[in-house]
Amino acid sequence: MAFLPDESRSLPPPPLLNKGSVWLGFVGWITAMLDNTFNQRPVLRAGVHRQILFTTVGWFVGYYLAKRTDYFYAKMDRELLEYVRHHPEDFKVAG
């Protein structure tokens, strides 16, 4: 996948129904509605194929961004835990 390194393949995929996919799918649908409005076409009935296309594109972009975010946070966690493992004197157990 573009813009994701090969090590991101070891992560589990995000769920298909996630916040980013739903939100950007909705934004895509609203964009198609606004396009119909600005071009003085019937808002819901005109360009149904465009509505489906924009919603689908928004959904996939949201899914990809969720995947990228998961990779980013996993990488950050890995680096933090590696630092803690190499510097145990900085992280003493209280007690």
Side-chain angles (χ1 to χ4, degrees):
M1 187 172 258
F3 304 115
L4 280 175
D6 289 337
E7 64 185 10
S8 68
R9 292 182 186 171
S10 64
L11 294 172
L16 286 176
L17 188 64
N18 63 55
K19 200 175 5 177
S21 292
V22 172
W23 177 247
L24 287 177
F26 179 71
V27 168
W29 182 66
I30 292 297
T31 302
M33 297 288 114
L34 287 173
D35 181 52
N36 285 342
T37 302
F38 292 145
N39 290 314
Q40 297 179 350
R41 294 187 291 249
V43 177
L44 288 173
R45 294 181 311 179
V48 175
H49 62 286
R50 243 187 344 267
Q51 295 174 29
I52 293 171
L53 175 69
F54 286 14
T55 302
T56 305
V57 168
W59 190 276
F60 282 114
V61 168
Y63 179 80
Y64 175 75
L65 289 176
K67 195 170 189 171
R68 186 163 174 77
T69 302
D70 287 350
Y71 168 71
F72 174 75
Y73 285 122
K75 181 180 167 192
M76 222 166 52
D77 287 347
R78 183 187 66 209
E79 291 170 356
L80 180 64
L81 291 174
E82 189 69 18
Y83 181 82
V84 169
R85 191 172 67 84
H86 280 84
H87 299 90
E89 67 277 357
D90 294 340
F91 303 94
K92 295 182 180 170
V93 178

